Amino acid sequence: MNTHAAPASGGRPAALSRRRLLQLGAAATALAAGSQLLHPSPAWADGFDSMRTTWVQLLTGSGFDATADPYRTALATLGSSASSAQSSMAPTTGSLWPDLPIGTVSANVTSSYSRLRTMALAYVQPGTGLTGSGALATAIATGLDWLCANAYAVTTTTYNNWWDWQIGAPQRLLDTCALVYPQLTTTQIASYCAAVDHFVPASLVSSYTGTSTGANRLDLCQVLALRGVLGKSASSLTTAQQALSPVFLDVLTGDGLYADGSFIQHTYFPYQGGYGEVLLGDLSKLLALLAGTSWAVTDPNVQNVYTAVTDNFAPFLYNGLMMDGESGRGISRGVQTSDPLGVLQSDHTRGHTVLGHILRLATVGGASAAQSAAWKSLVKGSIQRDYYLPYLSDQKVDIPELARAQALLDDATVQPAPEATGSRIFSMDRAVHRRPGWAAQLSTCSARTAFYETGNGENLHGWHTNSGMLYWYGDSYGDGQYADDFWPTVDPYQLPGTTVSTLPLADAAGGAWGATRPTATWAGGATDGTYAVAGQDVQGLLSTLTGKKSWFFLDDSVYCLGAGISCTDSHGVQTTVDNRNLGTGNSQVFTVDGTVQPTTLGGTFTGSRYMAISGMGAWVFPGGATVNAKRVASTAAWSGINTGASTAPVTRNYISMWFDHGTDPVDATYEYQLMPGATAATAAARAAAPNVTVLANTAAAQAISCPSLNLTMANFFAAGTAGPITASGPCSVLLTETGGTMNVVISDPTRQGSTVQVTLARTGYASATAASGVTLLSASGQVVLLAETGGTHGAGRTITLSTAGTAPAPATAVQLAATASTYVRNGSYANTNYGNTATMTVKNDNRTGSGYARESLLAFDLSGVGGTVSRAVLWVYGTVADSGGTQTTLQAFAVAAGWSESAVTWNSAPALGTALGTGTAYNAADWIALDVTGAVAAAQAAGTVALAVFEPLGAAGLAVNLNTRLNTANPPRLEVVTR
């Protein structure tokens, strides 16, 4: 059956008949008791119409009482917004709305469609005062036709921002069409679909590159899928479904999900709270749309996204909020001038959106029952705990999500999950520490991530947000710290935890989209899952500032050290201990060393032992320190940091505390202990009886011990010794000792080395009971460990030692340089020698004589290796260099020695012998470890071992470029352990 209305003159739908209006009125009456949709019965529909019904259901919700709050108020607000949009719509030559001129600002096209979408929602939803309004339906159709003819037409040349043309405008256009589909003609639908095809061709998702990655890729897939539904195009749906798969794969560089739970967008920015939220939202809706159809998502790798909900998103959710360190430039949006409701965007509204997506994922049926149940418990607990901005009162939460959340809250079979505890160090230069009663999140940056994100006139003063900013939250306090107009009113040179030069910076200094990044690689740390040590080799944005910073995450506190702080900017340098937002009031009591300070505070405290703010927390300065503090009222507007935000001034009160390192300091240091939720009395007790001993605080090493927790932790920025720990190179070390066992975690935050040797001045340990990538070299007199950190992307390697058992014979680790390294190639190149090159290539195309197969050959001198070989690892450094994919498996093989680097060819190369260890190469240069113990042990007596690096036999792989011995950066090496 043709469900389209008969066309009227001019191609617009005929005015609604009296019978249709009566039908709509009856429907609206029925909606008083529960939600319904103004669309044809599914019994009338074909497969595409059924999918459209599903989409409309996602947009409008179900199972709610339109006469009860929060729905009654939300629906009335929706109706008011739609009425305002309808009454102000005035089609002219240059605009559909006077305040949204078309022609130079692409965002005005998206905003115009957004208003039509609002009008369409008010038309189909109950209780809006406009439900089924014929005049509103006519206005919507008029607007769609005007935009299709004048703004979003097949003849339009794009301008300004690509996102509006490919994502913003088409998504809102298609939503609007889905909502009012019965009132549109086939000609109109075809015209709108043709416009979408013009701006969003299938070729946009033909490769996983450029702007077609991560969350943007899912946005594009949503456009293609819904265009397929409305235009009844199977090919468009197929394109959308197949284009989803690259998003499900873990990545090592660029945009997407990482194996450790990181999520990156725009190449350099951690983004769970922004683009990550979009990814979850799009995917959950697409899974629902495609379920039960021939386009249902069956790719098993979608499980990676499900896993990411727990590993990637949940750690950054706290009491319903999404921690701001994961939201990029989104932190600056506040109250947008384009928002007719003027709702303040914050970490809580962003958290609520993420929670809504997780709950939708839990109900669409793609994940396992156990995962879905866990997600529901997570969401329920988070909603119940958000005391600062209750979920059901959040105007940014749409009606379908309100209804789904209310049903969850009413479901007695779902038990709310408590806030999780634990520590995580992420490869995206972020750390999260969660303890009973509080949580903290650390934002750093390195050569892998940017100082901050700015672009599109947003986040103009975010310069120092990744220079060690330490966010923290309490279970029943402090959750409005960043939500209560913090970002426009806070001093951007005094962000909590940061060390910065006060060199004046211009709006958007450093350039948009991560144009300026640090060159330092040291950012990260080590964690045992309960406690953590994190650090940063900090550099200044457009500044000569350098320094080393460390954070030690304990049970009730974070211990903070800084050293080597130097600068030649001719401006002051400061480390901000904290900068607490007191809100619009100013009643909090500020205590310094037992003395309550006046509300007009401003000055320097010499020899201060502690400071405390009532209802918030305390800061302890062991041994006394010179600390500056002030109490100020700061007035600003959101427009000062975001050109699209409100110009209305807001005022917030602050207490800030900082160390003044002076102008152009040399090797300045600092030390303090943050105690979330602590009172002045608790801080006084801690100052009198410290629980931490600082073992080192220099530019080379920073380390502490906490005897009450049996903890010793250290960051080494260079080889050296700190307390009982000696490291052969840069690394983080965390060790806990209890009950006759010692657990040691070692990582390389620089991600530059292949191995690091760590020596612990500990006696009594005899054996290793568990190890992952760590070899116990000796337990005699002291513990000597060799950690294989290459290729771990900064993750920790763990070993557990015991006082029981029999100690192994002492071992020696030696690292050998290659004496020869080259590659050979088959086919027409079979007699060509490739010696004297800086790179060698590997590829198995599984074809004989193709000319594309390449093997790499290496030789090592073993004459100086004594003892019995217990482990040997070939370390090669390289990257996938193939348009066919992003990761592949390398395998080592034993080969006969005797070939010459300067003469060997494919035809003269030794045959591949015993297959040895494998490793994974990615499209980002890194170390790859290949276990060659058997070959080295067998060749030890001969004094030379020859090895080949290829790919597993019988399966086609990808081309990988590896460094040869002639490469000055990261040449191949052989690590041999003998006993």
Side-chain angles (χ1 to χ4, degrees), residues 777-804:
L777 298 180
S778 176
S780 177
Q782 57 186 358
V783 173
V784 183
L785 305 172
L786 179 69
E788 297 172 5
T789 56
T792 61
H793 324 308
R797 293 294 204 177
T798 302
I799 186 170
T800 301
L801 304 168
S802 175
T803 55

Side-chain angles (χ1 to χ4, degrees), residues 534-558:
Q536 178 181 19
D537 182 357
V538 69
Q539 295 177 334
L541 172 64
L542 304 182
S543 164
T544 60
L545 172 72
T546 58
K548 305 298 190 294
K549 295 168 69 71
S550 290
W551 298 263
F552 302 89
F553 295 95
L554 308 173
D555 253 346
D556 65 355
S557 59
V558 183

Side-chain angles (χ1 to χ4, degrees), residues 425 442 444 522-527 532-537 548-553 559-563 670 695-705 712-723 725-727 729-735 745-750 756 758 794:
I425 303 288
L442 175 67
T444 63
W522 210 116
T527 178
V533 52
Q536 178 181 19
D537 182 357
K548 305 298 190 294
K549 295 168 69 71
S550 290
W551 298 263
F552 302 89
F553 295 95
Y559 210 92
C560 308
L561 295 178
Y670 66 81
L695 304 175
N697 187 22
T698 70
Q702 295 171 327
I704 69 164
S705 68
T712 304
M713 297 186 280
N715 283 329
F716 290 92
F717 297 95
T721 298
I725 308 172
T726 298
C731 63
S732 288
V733 182
L734 181 153
L735 63 94
V745 184
I746 304 168
S747 72
D748 176 10
T750 70
V756 62
V758 173

Side-chain angles (χ1 to χ4, degrees), residues 260-275:
D260 76 332
S262 298
F263 178 77
I264 296 288
Q265 193 78 39
H266 290 173
T267 310
Y268 306 112
F269 306 102
Y271 237 131
Q272 277 87 346
Y275 286 94

Side-chain angles (χ1 to χ4, degrees), residues 320-322 324 345-352 473 479 482-483:
L321 63 80
M322 167 60 70
D324 269 347
Q345 299 182 44
S346 71
D347 50 5
H348 288 267
T349 61
R350 287 185 284 273
H352 294 169
Y473 315 82
D479 288 358
Y482 315 104

Side-chain angles (χ1 to χ4, degrees), residues 25 32 76 263 277 293 304-305 313 339 355 382 418 492 544 563 604 609-610 651 656 757 801 834 947 957:
F263 178 77
E277 170 265 304
T293 74
N304 290 336
V305 181
F313 291 86
D339 181 2
L355 290 170
S382 296
T544 60
T604 300
R609 302 292 297 274
Y610 70 89
T651 300
S656 59
Q757 187 165 303
L801 304 168
Y834 293 94
L947 302 165

Side-chain angles (χ1 to χ4, degrees), residues 594-880:
T595 301
V596 174
Q597 301 299 311
T599 57
T600 56
L601 172 71
T604 300
F605 295 85
T606 303
S608 177
R609 302 292 297 274
Y610 70 89
M611 297 178 177
I613 303 176
S614 61
M616 292 187 174
W619 300 262
V620 176
F621 309 102
T626 298
V627 185
N628 293 276
K630 65 181 177 182
R631 191 168 192 153
V632 299
S634 175
T635 300
W638 281 96
S639 59
I641 61 172
N642 189 304
T643 57
S646 170
T647 59
V650 290
T651 300
R652 293 296 179 268
N653 296 286
Y654 286 88
I655 292 177
S656 59
M657 298 154 278
W658 72 97
F659 298 110
D660 183 356
H661 302 302
T663 300
D664 293 343
V666 177
D667 291 331
T669 64
Y670 66 81
E671 175 185 354
Y672 68 96
Q673 187 172 19
L674 161 66
M675 300 181 68
T679 64
T682 304
R686 179 60 54 82
N691 68 333
V692 166
T693 299
V694 174
L695 304 175
N697 187 22
T698 70
Q702 295 171 327
I704 69 164
S705 68
C706 182
S708 62
L709 297 177
N710 303 305
L711 269 174
T712 304
M713 297 186 280
N715 283 329
F716 290 92
F717 297 95
T721 298
I725 308 172
T726 298
S728 65
C731 63
S732 288
V733 182
L734 181 153
L735 63 94
T736 55
E737 299 174 89
T738 180
T741 64
M742 178 169 64
N743 191 67
V744 185
V745 184
I746 304 168
S747 72
D748 176 10
T750 70
R751 309 185 206 179
Q752 301 294 300
S754 56
T755 60
V756 62
Q757 187 165 303
V758 173
T759 301
L760 308 174
R762 291 290 189 264
T763 60
Y765 292 101
S767 61
T769 58
S772 172
V774 184
T775 299
L776 174 60
L777 298 180
S778 176
S780 177
Q782 57 186 358
V783 173
V784 183
L785 305 172
L786 179 69
E788 297 172 5
T789 56
T792 61
H793 324 308
R797 293 294 204 177
T798 302
I799 186 170
T800 301
L801 304 168
S802 175
T803 55
T806 302
T812 300
V814 295
Q815 197 173 92
L816 306 175
T819 56
S821 60
T822 187
Y823 73 102
V824 295
R825 185 171 183 177
N826 73 348
S828 60
Y829 307 91
N831 289 316
T832 302
N833 172 260
Y834 293 94
N836 197 36
T837 59
T839 59
M840 53 188 178
T841 305
V842 171
K843 183 170 184 177
N844 177 14
D845 66 349
N846 206 31
R847 293 185 294 166
T848 301
S850 66
Y852 293 103
R854 280 151 286 185
E855 298 173 6
S856 289
L857 298 170
L858 303 101
F860 295 88
D861 180 4
L862 302 178
S863 60
V865 176
T868 301
V869 175
S870 61
R871 181 165 176 79
V873 177
L874 171 63
W875 290 97
V876 289
Y877 188 89
T879 179
V880 170

